[in-house]
Amino acid sequence: MNNDKEILEQFRDAALQHTAFGNLVKKYQEKLYWHIRRMLIEHEDTNDVLQNVFIKVWKSLAQFREDSQLYTWLYRIATNECLTYMEQQKKRQSVPIDYEENGFCDKVKAASNFDAQQLEWKLQIAIQKLPEKQRLVFNLRYFDEMPYEEMSKILNTSEGALKASYHHAAKKIEEFIINH
Amino acid sequence: MNRGYNHIKLDEIAEKVQNMSAYYAIPENYFQELPSIIADKISIAIIKTEEKNSLYQVPQEYFDNLEASILNKINISKTGANTTQLQSKTELLAIAPTLANNKIGMPYTVDDKYFQQSLAVNIVTPKQAKVVALLKNSNFKKLFAAASIITILFATALVWQNKPGKTIANTTINLEDSLSKIPEVALQDYVQNHGLTDTDFSNDMVETLLNANVEEHLQSYTDEELKTFLKENEQLNNFKKRI
């Protein structure tokens, strides 16, 4: 698998641009897919957002200045696209404030293989009950085991605040899992 | 505390052992003092242990989780996981041990083929140019189909007029170009005059019209039908030249 530096160098060469982009997509598609899927739950929504993410990457990769790691930059685009999509959905459906919690919980429960007794599903329900920011932080730390330093660049939040967010989120989830 | 019991036992032993002094030299009163010396040392050791335990506090359930915690660390280092993973594990163990001790995965599924098809191809391959919106009308599809019918019929009629001898074999009408020359009013009139409804227009129809071939259409109309069409649509004759 090509490393990021090679991908970026290839991309700057017009003749290799498509190959480089193909390699980039292959390398990061799964990671980004699951990052988005954990937030949006449904595959169709995830697919739409993921494609938008890569379209944005394609359009702006030439301007990427390597101030940050490519992977951080990609996660940042994916996270922003995800949040924008969620915002649009909320506006479109003009539903009560508690929609966020109930709406996403309903989506989880609507999955074809949902089993309320299974630990994996309990965890998902517990995650959906968290506020948006805590949900993001928890997912990145618990599933991707992302260092706070990286997360701080993606979410534009201090490491201390992220640690506190994760702490609260993990506590709430633990409590939910034990009591349900 | 068994200090009294120890004294009795050691006194008995001392009496018996005293007779052995003929063989080995021992300090004077050694056996008389020995029980109390040993008893004191035992007491000091007990006191020291008690002091140790009371000075330092162990977190609740520390020993319950210790084994799991150590095993986790061993497993992580065995699989070559990096420091971040270790830190993340240790951190979670302190906050939420149940969550940390059960590595819970994702219950969602995705089609295996999803990641095999290259998303990149869809993104970097330029999409086919869209047909430019010719009409700003909401009934665009209806008018577009009407315009296509008119264009094809006129082209067909023109070919028919020029018969015999002249045939336009395999001629594809440049619909997009021709359509742009027909005014919207004329199209609306055509739709109204012919009582066309939404059901007369479908995506398939538009697609077929776009790929229309004059020669094929010529064969689908009789001479009489084409003559009638030209007569009925005299108002469109002004556009005949342009088409």
Side-chain angles (χ1 to χ4, degrees):
Chain A
M1 183 66 78
N2 294 22
N3 69 34
D4 293 350
K5 217 169 172 56
E6 276 173 14
I7 290 175
L8 291 169
E9 272 168 24
Q10 276 187 340
F11 192 81
R12 285 183 198 112
D13 180 345
L16 297 172
Q17 208 169 46
H18 285 202
T19 315
F21 187 69
N23 289 334
L24 181 147
V25 173
K26 262 185 227 157
K27 186 174 177 181
Y28 288 106
Q29 60 181 0
E30 280 197 53
K31 273 190 176 183
L32 295 181
Y33 174 88
W34 288 113
H35 172 54
I36 299 165
R37 179 86 189 260
R38 286 193 292 259
M39 289 301 286
L40 302 181
I41 300 154
E42 285 173 350
H43 170 78
E44 295 308 323
D45 294 340
T46 309
N47 184 41
D48 285 349
V49 172
L50 184 65
Q51 295 205 16
N52 285 342
V53 169
F54 280 122
I55 289 169
K56 284 210 165 165
V57 171
W58 167 254
K59 284 178 180 168
S60 31
L61 192 59
Q63 282 88 51
F64 177 63
R65 287 176 298 156
E66 292 185 62
D67 290 341
S68 58
Q69 283 186 56
L70 181 61
Y71 128 100
T72 313
W73 184 66
L74 293 173
Y75 261 84
R76 196 163 56 223
I77 295 175
T79 305
N80 289 340
E81 281 296 306
C82 218
L83 294 175
T84 310
Y85 187 85
M86 285 162 79
E87 206 55 46
Q88 282 169 351
Q89 280 210 324
K90 268 186 261 171
K91 272 184 196 164
R92 201 172 297 153
Q93 291 167 3
S94 58
V95 280
I97 300 163
D98 66 349
Y99 167 77
E100 202 175 315
E101 183 187 305
N102 298 330
F104 283 108
C105 282
D106 288 347
K107 279 187 177 186
V108 173
K109 287 175 187 166
S112 59
N113 52 337
F114 177 75
D115 176 357
Q117 295 308 310
Q118 222 180 311
L119 201 56
E120 283 86 352
W121 287 109
K122 274 188 195 177
L123 173 64
Q124 286 308 313
I125 296 282
I127 292 172
Q128 301 318 319
K129 289 183 176 295
L130 298 172
E132 203 170 82
K133 189 73 178 277
Q134 277 186 21
R135 213 184 317 160
L136 263 171
V137 175
F138 181 82
N139 284 339
L140 286 171
R141 186 73 179 159
Y142 184 77
F143 292 107
D144 290 341
E145 292 177 323
M146 187 178 280
Y148 287 113
E149 196 189 343
E150 296 296 322
M151 219 190 288
S152 154
K153 288 172 195 161
I154 293 167
L155 301 177
N156 213 15
T157 311
S158 73
E159 286 185 43
L162 291 171
K163 279 179 191 170
S165 261
Y166 182 64
H167 189 276
H168 289 307
K171 278 262 176 226
K172 282 186 211 168
I173 289 173
E174 173 101 335
E175 212 176 289
F176 181 89
I177 287 177
I178 291 169
N179 296 326
H180 287 81
Chain B
M1 193 81 52
N2 293 327
R3 218 183 290 181
Y5 175 79
N6 288 338
H7 270 286
I8 297 161
K9 279 273 184 190
L10 289 169
D11 286 344
E12 284 171 10
I13 296 164
E15 275 172 27
K16 287 175 186 172
V17 175
Q18 226 171 5
N19 303 325
M20 295 167 73
S21 60
Y23 305 101
Y24 300 103
I26 49 166
E28 211 178 330
N29 296 329
Y30 174 74
F31 290 109
Q32 279 78 19
E33 290 167 9
L34 185 64
S36 61
I37 293 168
I38 292 171
D40 285 346
K41 288 200 170 173
I42 290 169
S43 305
I44 290 164
I46 291 168
I47 290 163
K48 275 187 177 172
T49 317
E50 280 171 356
E51 273 176 357
K52 253 188 199 170
N53 290 343
S54 63
L55 270 180
Y56 302 105
Q57 297 291 318
V58 179
Q60 234 179 357
E61 296 175 353
Y62 171 77
F63 292 106
D64 295 340
N65 295 324
L66 184 64
E67 189 188 346
S69 163
I70 293 167
L71 283 173
N72 262 329
K73 286 182 185 177
I74 292 168
N75 287 337
I76 288 169
S77 59
K78 262 187 193 168
T79 53
N82 60 29
T83 330
T84 313
Q85 283 174 310
L86 188 67
Q87 283 170 349
S88 152
K89 270 270 169 194
T90 318
E91 177 191 34
L92 192 60
L93 208 58
I95 311 167
T98 310
L99 210 53
N101 290 328
N102 297 288
K103 182 67 189 174
I104 308 167
M106 292 282 292
Y108 306 128
T109 53
V110 63
D111 193 333
D112 291 342
K113 289 173 189 163
Y114 180 71
F115 294 114
Q116 285 162 19
Q117 58 170 16
S118 182
L119 281 167
V121 174
N122 296 333
I123 293 162
V124 298
T125 310
K127 285 179 184 161
Q128 275 195 328
K130 282 182 188 169
V131 175
V132 179
L134 299 166
L135 310 162
K136 287 172 189 167
N137 198 301
S138 60
N139 285 329
F140 171 74
K141 201 203 281 181
K142 191 190 270 190
L143 294 174
F144 179 78
S148 309
I149 293 167
I150 296 164
T151 312
I152 290 165
L153 284 174
F154 264 110
T156 309
L158 286 171
V159 175
W160 173 76
Q161 272 184 329
N162 291 330
K163 280 204 308 188
K166 286 181 186 172
T167 49
I168 309 172
N170 302 321
T171 305
T172 304
I173 301 167
N174 186 349
L175 259 188
E176 281 182 43
D177 185 42
S178 305
L179 286 175
S180 63
K181 293 168 186 166
I182 304 174
E184 196 174 330
V185 185
L187 298 175
Q188 276 164 344
D189 284 348
Y190 184 86
V191 171
Q192 230 166 20
N193 293 341
H194 289 77
L196 297 173
T197 63
D198 284 338
T199 48
D200 294 321
F201 306 100
S202 65
N203 288 328
D204 289 347
M205 183 187 181
V206 174
E207 191 65 30
T208 310
L209 289 167
L210 273 170
N211 298 316
N213 182 294
V214 175
E215 187 67 17
E216 279 173 24
H217 278 272
L218 189 60
Q219 285 162 9
S220 61
Y221 298 103
T222 63
D223 286 2
E224 201 55 43
E225 278 172 338
L226 290 169
K227 201 189 272 181
T228 314
F229 172 79
L230 288 172
K231 209 172 179 180
E232 280 177 359
N233 296 283
E234 276 171 2
Q235 81 275 20
L236 291 173
N237 278 351
N238 297 334
F239 311 108
K240 198 163 74 175
K241 280 179 196 166
R242 296 189 209 167
I243 294 167

